[in-house]
Amino acid sequence: MGARRGTPVSDLVSLNQDSGRPAIVVTSISAPSRAMQKIAQGAADAGYDFIVIGDARSPSDFHSEGCDYYDLPRQRTTGLKFAEVCPMNHYARKNIGYLLAIRVGASLIIETDDDNSPQANFWRTRRMKMTAPVVKTSGWVNVYRYFTQELIWPRGLPLDAIQQEVPAFDELPAAIDCPIQQGLADENPDLDAVYRLTLPLPRSFRKDIIVALAARAWCPFNSQNTAWWPPAYPLLYLPSYCSFRMTDIWRSFVAQRIAWENNWNIIFQSPDVSQNRNPHNLMRDFEDEVPGYLHNRAIASTLDCLSLKRGTKHTRDNLRRCYLALVRGGWMKEDELCLMDVWLDDLKSIVSA
């Protein structure tokens, strides 16, 4: 399957369901898990590409039937400049997988993790344009409260917003364009260390809920079960010069802020994966999450106040403005801007080749 030709970054919106196969992107430092094998089998049956990105700690003999695995040497042969400069031993090497999927013309990118086992409905037909209830309130929204009556919240939500009331579900309006759609996870959902250290697991969520957030309704979303359509591909970028536990959370804030300028809503929907979480040191997770506990409100406020340009043709410039604001706020190193520029250059060369 060849790369899509002659498409400038601003025209990624023109890619559609017929432009190529959908792709699944995972990064892993472990031997192939049962979840990975299940993803590979499902991807083969459903006609998905399955791209797995390794790192310095990945097994040298990694092999899983049905996945296209890229170890470090193979990543360096892709011609992607980003593969040469992205720090090793970092989750942000997943960016290489996104670029490879885009290069072969992926009509849809679903990112997940190697400890997420897909449920049957994971392989459903997905649509960017949906009808769903829309939260139009401003401020922080604990979206998980729509999916369960239990005390629970997504990683990255400010701790003082956990108990905050959300608009009554039955009173929410409807309608929408959603090129970013977050699916929840059952059993061991994406939670912060405060929850994991103090409250019970496993947890499961309702199976019949879809809710969308409109402009100025904030909720973090993760990189563990998220579907992206071509108009939003530039926003896939995961930053490297920040805490490992905040890379996808801070990306989600940037993506939400830019989505507002494109009249996009962010979808959250019932689980279609079950997570059997890889071993973690929870106190180390807590340490890595401290920058979020302390600064997520300030980051969202800073992004909220930015003057950005409207329309998808400005996505590249808006992305850089957002990360520049995070650097100037002291939340990221200036090196992030150089790395992001390499990502954007690779993206431009891929879709314009």
Side-chain angles (χ1 to χ4, degrees):
M1 178 168 49
R4 184 177 175 86
R5 302 291 181 179
T7 309
V9 172
S10 61
D11 287 343
L12 278 165
V13 67
S14 67
L15 290 170
N16 56 48
Q17 294 281 352
D18 299 322
S19 64
R21 289 153 54 101
I24 297 173
V25 175
V26 168
T27 185
S28 180
I29 59 171
S30 303
S33 63
R34 292 182 64 184
M36 287 269 282
Q37 293 167 4
K38 193 172 180 180
I39 294 171
Q41 183 60 59
D45 293 343
Y48 282 64
D49 291 327
F50 181 26
I51 298 171
V52 178
I53 301 299
D55 206 335
R57 290 184 290 166
S58 301
S60 58
D61 58 348
F62 184 101
H63 175 75
S64 180
E65 190 70 30
C67 81
D68 193 7
Y69 177 65
Y70 286 79
D71 60 12
L72 289 177
R74 190 180 178 201
Q75 291 170 32
R76 297 187 186 105
T77 68
T78 60
L80 297 172
K81 294 179 181 177
F82 189 85
E84 301 172 6
V85 299
C86 181
M88 290 190 293
N89 294 316
H90 200 291
Y91 187 77
R93 293 198 75 85
K94 200 174 189 179
N95 286 320
I96 299 165
Y98 306 146
L99 290 169
L100 292 170
I102 296 167
R103 186 160 71 180
V104 296
S107 59
L108 164 69
I109 294 175
I110 302 175
E111 56 176 345
T112 187
D113 282 343
D114 60 1
D115 51 5
N116 280 336
S117 182
Q119 300 173 5
N121 63 330
F122 182 87
W123 306 108
R124 69 193 181 278
T125 299
R126 300 171 186 252
R127 303 295 181 196
M128 185 177 81
K129 295 183 181 294
M130 301 185 67
T131 298
V134 181
V135 176
K136 294 187 176 180
T137 189
S138 296
W140 292 96
V141 179
N142 181 0
V143 165
Y144 283 11
R145 297 192 66 178
Y146 292 111
F147 297 86
T148 179
Q149 294 183 351
E150 303 293 340
L151 176 63
I152 195 168
W153 62 94
R155 176 171 53 95
L157 189 77
L159 296 179
D160 56 358
I162 293 168
Q163 302 272 15
Q164 190 171 300
E165 291 297 321
V166 294
F169 189 82
D170 291 340
E171 298 174 5
L172 297 175
I176 42 188
D177 198 3
C178 309
I180 304 173
Q181 300 180 14
Q182 166 83 90
L184 275 63
D186 280 333
E187 303 299 329
N188 206 326
D190 187 44
L191 308 166
D192 64 21
V194 170
Y195 183 97
R196 295 184 188 282
L197 287 164
T198 61
L199 292 166
L201 287 168
R203 291 291 193 194
S204 294
F205 297 101
R206 286 181 58 175
K207 302 299 185 184
D208 57 348
I209 301 294
I210 299 176
V211 63
L213 300 190
R216 294 191 158 73
W218 289 100
C219 184
F221 64 84
N222 58 58
S223 61
Q224 297 184 6
N225 184 23
T226 309
W228 301 74
W229 275 261
Y233 283 172
L235 305 183
L236 278 160
Y237 177 76
L238 286 164
S240 294
Y241 292 98
C242 63
S243 160
F244 160 72
R245 296 288 290 169
M246 286 297 105
T247 178
D248 56 342
I249 300 304
W250 289 354
R251 175 189 70 173
S252 80
F253 296 158
V254 170
Q256 286 175 79
R257 177 63 187 89
I258 295 173
W260 303 348
E261 302 302 328
N262 298 333
N263 295 319
W264 298 341
N265 295 262
I266 307 296
I267 282 280
F268 292 80
Q269 52 196 331
S270 293
D272 51 23
V273 301
S274 299
Q275 184 176 85
N276 181 14
R277 197 177 195 229
N278 292 329
H280 276 246
N281 180 320
L282 293 181
M283 289 307 297
R284 186 175 300 163
D285 282 355
F286 174 79
E287 182 179 4
D288 286 343
E289 290 166 7
V290 166
Y293 298 133
L294 297 179
H295 303 302
N296 281 357
R297 277 191 176 274
I299 288 172
S301 178
T302 296
L303 294 172
D304 202 343
C305 293
L306 281 181
S307 178
L308 301 181
K309 297 178 180 179
R310 296 191 65 80
T312 57
K313 68 180 180 180
H314 299 297
T315 296
R316 176 187 175 118
D317 290 340
N318 286 340
L319 188 68
R320 203 174 196 288
R321 284 171 183 256
C322 288
Y323 279 99
L324 178 60
L326 298 185
V327 168
R328 287 177 172 171
W331 300 300
M332 289 186 187
K333 295 181 180 179
E334 191 168 358
D335 291 345
E336 193 65 59
L337 298 178
C338 298
L339 198 57
M340 186 191 62
D341 283 342
V342 176
W343 153 269
L344 289 172
D345 285 347
D346 272 341
L347 183 61
K348 183 177 180 180
S349 67
I350 285 169
V351 299
S352 299

